[in-house]
Amino acid sequence: MTDTTDILARAPFNLAPDDIAWVRRTLASLSTADRIGQLMLYATFGDDPGAVRSLMATRPGGIHRFMGPDLAKGLEATRIALEESAIPPLVSGDLEGGPMSFPFMMPVPNQMALAACDDPALTERVAGMLAAEARLLGFNWSFTPVVDINARHLSAAVGTRSFGSGVDAVEAHAIAYVHGLQAGGVAASVKHWPGDGYDDRDQHLLTSINVLPFDEWEAKSGRIFRSTIHAGVLTVMAAHIALPSWQRRMGGTDNDRWTFEPSTLSHRLTTDLLRGHLGFNGLVVSDATPMAGLTGWVDRATAVPLAIMSGCDIFLFPTEGVDVRLMEEGLRDGRLTEARLEEACLRILGLKAALGLHRKPVSERIATLEEARDALAAQGVPLERIETSATADIRYDGVDAHLTVPFGPAERMRATFEAQHRARFGFVSEGKRLIAETLSVEAVGVAKRREAALDGAHATATPLPLKQTRARMGGRDCDAPVYGREALAHGALIEGPAIVVEANATTVVEPGWRALIDAKRNLILERARSEEHTSELQSLRHLVCRLLLEKK
């Protein structure tokens, strides 16, 4: 049996005796099928609760969330995953910043922009803020930082995701990023082992190659991985990348196919080099297994058990209903051993214990919708800066009956109301004043229907604003005037909270934001420059931009 105390008490797990005891008890309680389930980390695209329930019914070790644009639906889908798991699941994401940011999280620069600031302390703070937001959303693991060296500018999989081409900069910022994430309660994962950036080809399409001679690899990619390991990184992502120089040291020649095997399927790279030579004791996750860098090397029936037997502990993005069966077949015929299966499960449970997941109820592992809105709004995230439709309930002055029409310019609302009134009641009251009583706004990402009374607003040709007594934004009730889009001239400035309506859309301007009408009559939203609404993360973003300008 695997020496659990030796593995779990050492870095990077550093588990206390009670935590080690939980891992042992849990591991002993798992059937073979459950242990295989723990190896699987499925991708969830969007926020379909039925799809999430279907995946969690297979009792996987975790899921990777590609959340949709709706905060409420995204939280609910993740909550289902947490609530329906007897063993706390790992919930991973790609917190890389740049275009990888979720729409309701504060966008931050990509890694190359952070490195251009030349301030690792800033990088650590940004990573810490990302971790704080991610934990609100139920995440506990990020497949970051990217520690590849951008040596070849045509490298398709690296680019601005990297901290750059200089080893010193990549090393310093990678360590800072790891510290920031893990201090914030989110496990980091350095990628892409054994190092990308030296091949113009993309491992999404084929197995790529790190061509460095081994001594040079040791001084570059190897140095960065070794430094982040010493810094305590909890996980490493093994990629579909070959390192022939190490394989030649292991006796391979260029005539041996295995000299060019991807690290995900290479015991020599993932176990001998990463664990043996560099001393990594944490968890190894494979890169995405549908990528052609893996599937183009061997058939899937071979690859599934081989990835675990070679040293990966988690099989990323398995095919539902297929790969569990292939893993079981590999275990039955000896291509995957019981001892290796146990060791992989041990590290998976060890990671969960290192994150304290076994000690926390679901309520401490994910925020409620209101908590998330309040916290993200406090960080300056524009939760309800969403264009959508709105309707108004309109009646004749002195008449109780009302009709619902699309909210927009006053003349259009009157025409629509009169057409509906004539169709329903057979007449209209020429010249009689109309009262718009209720504005209802329904926006993507907002769980409830927004309703607010319009105090004495007249559906006439008079220009807006219409006065709104109450509106709900960022989880708070507040006063919010209503402005008609067509009545706003070039240069108009609207301070939030406010609502801007037009024929087929509504824009919610949150507190701390303002809407501007530019020369082309575009509606532009921007953060109001007010100390009252400037959060720590906003300050970081401003600092990043300032430092980048100073570098030019």
Side-chain angles (χ1 to χ4, degrees):
M1 180 170 177
T2 304
D3 185 346
T4 56
T5 301
D6 180 59
I7 290 177
L8 300 177
R10 289 192 289 120
F13 300 114
N14 299 313
L15 296 188
D18 287 350
D19 298 322
I20 294 175
W22 176 82
V23 172
R24 283 175 166 167
R25 287 194 309 272
T26 305
L27 183 60
S29 70
L30 297 179
S31 66
T32 297
D34 287 333
R35 292 184 179 195
I36 289 176
Q38 285 294 302
L39 306 179
M40 304 295 169
L41 195 139
Y42 290 97
T44 60
F45 297 94
D47 305 313
D48 180 3
V52 173
R53 285 193 176 93
S54 175
L55 285 178
M56 301 319 293
T58 67
R59 303 189 296 281
I63 57 173
H64 186 91
R65 297 287 283 120
F66 293 100
M67 297 177 72
D70 188 318
L71 175 63
K73 291 180 180 178
L75 281 172
E76 179 59 24
T78 305
R79 184 177 299 279
I80 288 170
L82 299 183
E83 291 178 342
E84 300 197 0
S85 298
I87 300 172
L90 295 166
V91 181
S92 60
D94 294 294
L95 305 181
E96 293 187 18
M100 302 293 285
S101 302
F102 291 119
F104 30 75
M105 292 177 68
M106 178 59 76
V108 299
N110 56 38
Q111 289 189 190
M112 186 167 285
L114 287 176
C117 296
D118 196 20
D119 184 355
L122 174 65
T123 297
E124 183 172 344
R125 290 170 63 198
V126 169
M129 295 302 296
L130 284 174
E133 290 188 353
R135 288 186 62 190
L136 290 171
L137 305 176
F139 291 93
N140 49 50
W141 190 10
S142 176
F143 294 152
T144 52
V146 175
V147 299
D148 301 318
I149 300 169
N150 197 12
R152 296 177 66 93
H153 74 280
L154 293 178
S155 178
V158 181
T160 58
R161 299 170 70 197
S162 163
F163 287 119
S165 58
V167 175
D168 291 346
V170 175
E171 179 184 47
H173 288 277
I175 291 171
Y177 212 98
V178 168
H179 284 162
L181 284 178
Q182 295 190 172
V186 173
S189 186
V190 290
K191 64 183 183 184
H192 301 84
W193 171 260
D196 203 356
Y198 291 90
D199 193 331
D200 291 345
R201 298 170 300 172
D202 184 349
Q203 62 263 27
H204 291 82
L205 306 177
L206 46 70
T207 303
S208 60
I209 300 174
N210 186 316
V211 297
L212 292 177
F214 189 72
D215 288 346
E216 189 176 354
W217 179 89
E218 282 267 40
K220 293 180 177 179
S221 300
R223 168 185 157 187
I224 294 167
F225 279 103
R226 182 181 282 106
S227 294
T228 54
I229 290 169
H230 290 168
V233 70
L234 283 162
T235 74
V236 171
M237 177 177 282
H240 315 308
I241 300 173
L243 183 62
S245 61
W246 171 258
Q247 305 286 36
R248 295 184 188 108
R249 287 199 167 208
M250 301 293 284
T253 70
D254 288 352
N255 293 323
D256 294 314
R257 187 170 185 265
W258 58 264
T259 299
F260 302 95
E261 65 191 358
S263 73
T264 33
L265 302 177
S266 174
H267 188 278
R268 300 172 188 84
L269 291 178
T270 302
T271 299
D272 296 336
L273 179 57
L274 178 59
R275 293 208 186 278
H277 187 69
L278 296 189
F280 181 60
N281 182 52
L283 181 143
V284 177
V285 56
S286 76
D287 205 342
T289 59
M291 291 165 62
L294 179 140
T295 60
W297 185 259
V298 292
D299 62 273
R300 197 157 186 88
T302 300
V304 171
L306 180 58
I308 304 301
M309 197 64 199
S310 297
C312 294
D313 302 304
I314 282 186
F315 193 78
L316 186 62
F317 302 170
T319 303
E320 188 179 4
V322 175
D323 290 345
V324 166
R325 174 179 55 80
L326 295 178
M327 198 73 74
E328 291 171 342
E329 291 175 358
L331 187 63
R332 279 196 298 270
D333 63 25
R335 288 176 293 137
L336 174 62
T337 65
E338 292 278 1
R340 178 68 194 105
L341 174 61
E342 179 180 284
E343 182 186 4
C345 287
L346 181 76
R347 284 194 166 92
I348 294 167
L349 295 173
L351 176 60
K352 296 178 180 184
L355 293 169
L357 304 184
H358 63 307
R359 297 182 180 276
K360 300 173 184 176
V362 171
S363 61
E364 293 182 19
R365 286 183 272 140
I366 189 171
T368 66
L369 179 59
E370 293 303 311
E371 289 169 344
R373 281 183 178 158
D374 287 348
L376 292 173
Q379 303 238 48
V381 180
L383 292 178
E384 296 173 38
R385 194 162 54 91
I386 301 167
E387 294 198 353
T388 182
S389 61
T391 59
D393 294 338
I394 299 179
R395 61 177 175 82
Y396 282 121
D397 191 11
V399 178
D400 290 336
H402 67 264
L403 297 174
T404 301
V405 302
F407 199 89
E411 291 179 345
R412 186 177 303 169
M413 290 172 63
R414 172 179 281 278
T416 304
F417 173 84
E418 290 181 343
Q420 290 187 14
H421 201 277
R422 180 177 285 108
R424 183 168 180 179
F425 300 109
F427 72 96
V428 294
S429 297
E430 297 291 345
K432 191 163 187 177
R433 190 173 66 163
L434 296 180
I435 304 296
E437 283 199 328
T438 303
L439 172 66
S440 298
V441 180
E442 190 158 15
V444 176
V446 180
K448 302 175 184 176
R449 188 174 179 82
R450 303 297 195 233
E451 296 190 355
L454 298 175
D455 182 16
H458 299 259
T460 66
T462 56
L464 301 175
L466 300 173
K467 292 182 179 179
Q468 183 182 14
T469 57
R470 305 297 284 173
R472 191 156 179 81
M473 298 183 183
R476 296 183 178 88
D477 290 324
C478 58
D479 295 326
V482 181
Y483 296 84
R485 173 76 164 81
E486 293 187 1
L488 299 176
H490 167 224
L493 172 65
I494 299 171
E495 297 286 353
I499 293 177
V500 180
V501 293
E502 50 190 306
N504 299 309
T506 299
T507 302
V508 179
V509 186
E510 284 198 287
W513 287 76
R514 62 185 182 182
L516 300 168
I517 303 298
D518 68 10
K520 296 182 179 180
R521 292 195 52 77
N522 295 314
L523 180 65
I524 307 298
L525 291 177
E526 70 172 20
R527 174 71 63 189
R529 293 175 177 85
S530 166
E531 284 297 321
E532 180 181 354
H533 302 296
T534 301
S535 67
E536 181 181 1
L537 186 52
Q538 291 168 255
S539 301
L540 292 178
R541 295 184 69 208
H542 295 160
L543 179 58
V544 169
C545 294
R546 179 174 61 78
L547 289 173
L548 287 175
L549 289 173
E550 290 175 355
K551 289 287 180 182
K552 292 185 177 181

